[in-house]
Amino acid sequence: MSVPAEDHAGFGRRGLFAGAAAAVAATVVAGETKAYAQHAPPGQGGPTGSEEAVRAERPRPVGQIPQLRGMWIASVLNIDWPSRAGLSVARQRAELHSLLDTAVARRLNAVVLQVRPTADALWPSPFEPWAECLSGVQGRDPGWDPLGEAVAAAHARGLELHAWFNPYRVAMHADPGRLTATHPARVHPEWTVAYGGKLYYNPGLPEVRQFVQDAMVDAVVRYPVDAVHWDDYFYPYPISGASFPDGATFARYGSGFSTVAAWRRHNIDTLVQEMSARIAAVRPGTRFGISPFGVWRNRAHDAEGAAVGATLQTYDDLYADSRRWVREGWLDYIAPQLYWHIGHPSADYATLAAWWAQTVRGQGVDLYIGEALYRAGAAGQAAAWSDPAELSRHLRLTRELPEVRGHIFFSADQVVEDRIKAMARVVADHYPTTVPPR
């Protein structure tokens, strides 16, 4: 999940396995089962291919939540949870349950928990080490299963649990030597690139695309998560004067593409399409959603873009063609991060909300809006964010856009703290009663 500066301004998924495509689904599932069995710990196996193939033939459910009310729980750098690394198991559990209780108290119905923050895991993954944010030491067993308990505890409270993964980020630093010795990025240094002081998997490598999908699908096989959720980190945010170092990869794999940008977008499109199919194959009830940066393209660059003037565009700068994912039906929901206030001079919330509503119209993809609760009452923000009613106005405005089916607030720590009672105002104005997730 990015916290951008103010001036950053085929097949349908649900029908993928219908009819004749059932045979394709059976093939995909057989591959999933084989791959899972090869890596799963002793005594744990994947689903049977025949059972999953039958399930995959059925269309995906549409519109499961009448009104999604969610909050992100960020684990990277201990932003939200755990409050710091190295806490006791009892304390970690208590903090997690407290956040879920807060969600219930705020009449929310979903939490989006970051379970793969830096190519490490909040579950006993056979692919990647235990997450550093738990114990303070990457690879150290925390003594419990955070994702497993989070799913059970959320469901017991009537909350959906969306498992939030970051596909390509390896580390918030660029030193492979700081990773655990068995980390895949150390075993395969050729998979990684350093950029802007951070370490990433190279999205242009087919073996990387396969591996990161395997690592994420493992969690979907093991746990009844309600959704797989990605945020806005595909190719990293651009740094002035620095080029992402994938020239050799483009020379190897980019034939047939007129530009590096087109090839990079193809890489991300392929990741999205393949992951969509794999989720549907192994657990059809699990949805797939992405929360991209809120500006696809400015109208000045593309006649079909939004009438805004943001200095960053996800299509051009992150190589993420978020509009195409909607049009192709690869997603069940999209949750653009509209982290600006109403009337922002270069990225007006109202203009962008209307653009996204038009984009999803008739596509069978749910639209949820990512809301910048973290800005409310924070130092250095525009004057609008000092008004406790700003976020409430966002929800009032989107009532006039029937395609907007909910909101997700960034992030849990601010839902708890609620500096100027902006979240309390949202609840009072718009969430008078609970809305069950199903």
Side-chain angles (χ1 to χ4, degrees):
M1 185 62 52
S2 69
V3 181
E6 278 287 340
D7 63 343
H8 276 171
F11 286 107
R13 174 169 168 74
R14 296 184 181 94
L16 186 63
F17 294 108
V24 177
T27 302
V28 171
V29 173
E32 298 290 0
T33 305
K34 179 180 178 182
Y36 183 83
Q38 288 174 341
H39 294 279
Q44 297 184 15
T48 64
S50 58
E51 291 173 347
E52 288 299 325
V54 171
R55 291 165 60 196
E57 287 182 330
R58 295 200 298 268
R60 295 296 310 282
V62 179
Q64 294 175 322
I65 299 181
Q67 179 190 52
L68 186 131
R69 305 169 178 178
M71 72 178 184
W72 279 286
I73 303 176
S75 58
V76 66
L77 301 177
N78 299 98
I79 290 174
D80 292 316
W81 177 82
S83 60
R84 60 181 174 83
L87 297 176
S88 68
V89 172
R91 178 72 179 275
Q92 289 181 27
R93 279 180 162 143
E95 289 187 354
L96 174 62
H97 285 262
S98 178
L99 289 176
L100 299 179
D101 288 340
T102 295
V104 172
R106 296 294 197 181
R107 302 188 187 122
L108 306 182
N109 56 22
V111 293
V112 185
L113 175 64
Q114 191 174 35
V115 300
R116 186 178 181 264
T118 52
D120 49 15
L122 270 71
W123 75 96
S125 168
F127 294 93
E128 294 178 311
W130 280 106
E132 181 179 1
C133 64
L134 297 170
S135 68
V137 179
Q138 191 174 67
R140 178 178 292 173
D141 189 333
W144 67 304
D145 180 357
L147 177 53
E149 182 156 332
V151 172
H155 289 173
R157 290 165 170 80
L159 299 167
E160 287 203 346
L161 191 292
H162 296 210
W164 168 14
F165 304 85
N166 295 88
Y168 292 123
R169 183 172 61 205
V170 174
M172 302 297 284
H173 55 77
D175 181 6
R178 291 172 57 184
L179 303 174
T180 186
T182 58
H183 195 292
R186 289 190 68 178
V187 176
H188 296 282
E190 71 278 7
W191 288 0
T192 66
V193 293
Y195 181 73
K198 298 177 183 178
L199 198 64
Y200 298 92
Y201 283 125
N202 186 344
L205 294 175
E207 57 269 37
V208 163
R209 188 172 70 244
Q210 175 71 35
F211 172 78
V212 299
Q213 288 181 49
D214 290 346
M216 293 182 284
V217 167
D218 179 69
V220 181
V221 170
R222 290 170 182 263
Y223 306 100
V225 297
D226 297 285
V228 167
H229 181 98
W230 294 350
D231 61 12
D232 51 328
Y233 285 103
F234 295 99
Y235 281 86
Y237 278 73
I239 298 170
S240 179
S243 298
F244 189 74
D246 61 353
T249 313
F250 176 65
R252 183 178 179 184
Y253 294 106
S255 61
F257 294 91
S258 58
T259 65
V260 172
W263 170 71
R264 288 174 177 168
R265 280 189 290 273
H266 167 78
N267 294 334
I268 303 305
D269 286 348
T270 302
L271 177 76
V272 172
Q273 183 181 22
E274 290 179 351
M275 190 68 181
S276 179
R278 292 183 69 174
I279 295 166
V282 301
R283 195 178 289 277
T286 292
R287 307 177 83 207
F288 184 30
I290 297 180
S291 179
F293 179 78
V295 179
W296 173 70
R297 299 194 90 187
N298 296 328
R299 188 166 295 172
H301 291 86
D302 190 312
E304 297 191 27
V308 296
T311 58
L312 187 138
Q313 303 163 91
T314 188
Y315 179 94
D316 301 275
D317 299 303
L318 304 181
Y319 310 101
D321 192 351
S322 48
R323 188 184 69 151
R324 183 183 183 195
W325 308 336
V326 170
R327 290 189 163 192
E328 296 286 354
W330 295 337
L331 303 179
D332 294 298
Y333 72 80
I334 194 158
Q337 297 170 32
L338 302 193
Y339 287 175
W340 303 277
H341 60 272
I342 296 171
H344 187 284
S346 60
D348 173 38
Y349 179 95
T351 300
L352 288 166
W355 185 89
W356 278 104
Q358 189 278 328
T359 296
V360 305
R361 191 168 298 147
Q363 301 298 319
V365 176
D366 289 333
L367 173 60
Y368 310 134
I369 304 296
E371 299 286 351
L373 177 62
Y374 73 94
R375 291 195 189 275
Q381 299 295 328
W385 292 107
S386 64
D387 184 350
E390 174 65 23
L391 281 180
S392 182
R393 282 193 287 269
H394 291 192
L395 274 69
R396 185 172 297 109
L397 181 151
T398 58
R399 282 181 182 173
E400 305 305 315
L401 301 171
E403 295 81 9
V404 177
R405 306 194 66 239
H407 302 260
I408 311 176
F409 299 91
F410 190 83
S411 61
D413 186 56
Q414 296 308 314
V415 174
V416 173
E417 181 182 358
D418 202 12
R419 279 183 296 253
I420 58 172
K421 306 305 179 186
M423 189 68 201
R425 181 69 176 267
V426 166
V427 174
D429 291 349
H430 304 283
Y431 302 160
T433 61
T434 59
V435 173
R438 296 189 188 274

